[in-house]
Amino acid sequence: MENSKNWGEKMAVHLQPPFINPTVPFSTPIQGGFQDGMIITVCGRVLPDADRFNVNLEHGSDVVLQVNPRYSWLLPISGYVVHNTRQNGKWGWEERKVETPFPRGQMFSLQILITQESYKISTNGELFSEYKHRMPFSKVDRICVVGMVELNVVAFHYRVSHLPALPGSLMVPYKSIIYGGVQPGKCIVIQGVINPQAKRVGFSLRHRTGIAFDYSPRFDENVVVCNCYENGKWGEEERSGQMPFERGQTFLVTICCSPDNYEVFVSGKKTHTFSRRYNNMEEIDVLEVSGDVQLTFVQP
């Protein structure tokens, strides 16, 4: 069992609010420092004319880990990715992957999982690379993102079996106003824990007379259902057997709004796309969360 100090540090990081649409260059301290099992999620878009960008985990002037997608005229679309460490002003040897999950002009999600042995780096929900520690990960106290990239979300959470109800947890059912409505580029972030015996959870974007988008993981059916509710009737369900949630596990849901659809990312992986059926975007101004879930952070 963890001692109270380590548990307190984990709670501090778990509760560190995500950053929504931060400007680049981006830099922020990591509350409580790095711990085994911590996950950093970075979602964004590579600019169409990008030559490179960096995601750095730093300590002072040292770069403990650099994830560095690069592009060249020889590889104009795909490019390649470099991992490295800079210690005492000197770069080490480059570890290169001559492929990239970061195409120019495209959205991406990057996750870095810290383990005792290495950083496990996943992109768009798939393991991409593993980088063995060259410096103690406990030294990392800051994340920086620079270069030709736009950011939607930078978030911090833990992969743990279950978190108890936390002081300050948000009451469920939960409801809040989305000021300005779901205009294009709007990102809604929801962080929490699925209950161990969960049957159903609902994430809904509502307007005055209906529900523009209902996103419903159903553990009793092992499906995710997307739908809308208009004129007193539910529309045609879009059902997916891809279940990105686990009972008793933490989660990070990001709903990104565009003129044509809603894109849903779960813990950094793009999982579902739902085409808009209700187009008065400024009228979609209420977020509701219901069901078998605990909430720890919401950015409507």
Side-chain angles (χ1 to χ4, degrees), residues 30 32-36 38 40 57 114 119 137-140 158:
I30 298 172
F34 261 17
Q35 303 289 328
D36 182 22
M38 179 178 172
I40 296 179
L57 305 182
I114 295 88
Y119 300 99
F137 64 79
S138 59
K139 288 183 174 293
V140 175
Y158 269 90

Side-chain angles (χ1 to χ4, degrees), residues 214-239:
D214 185 73
Y215 182 71
S216 176
R218 301 181 181 179
F219 298 93
D220 53 349
E221 300 179 45
N222 198 33
V223 298
V224 175
V225 176
C226 299
N227 207 345
C228 67
Y229 183 83
E230 305 293 343
N231 301 317
K233 296 188 297 184
W234 285 101
E236 182 179 351
E237 291 184 345
E238 297 182 12
R239 299 170 70 92

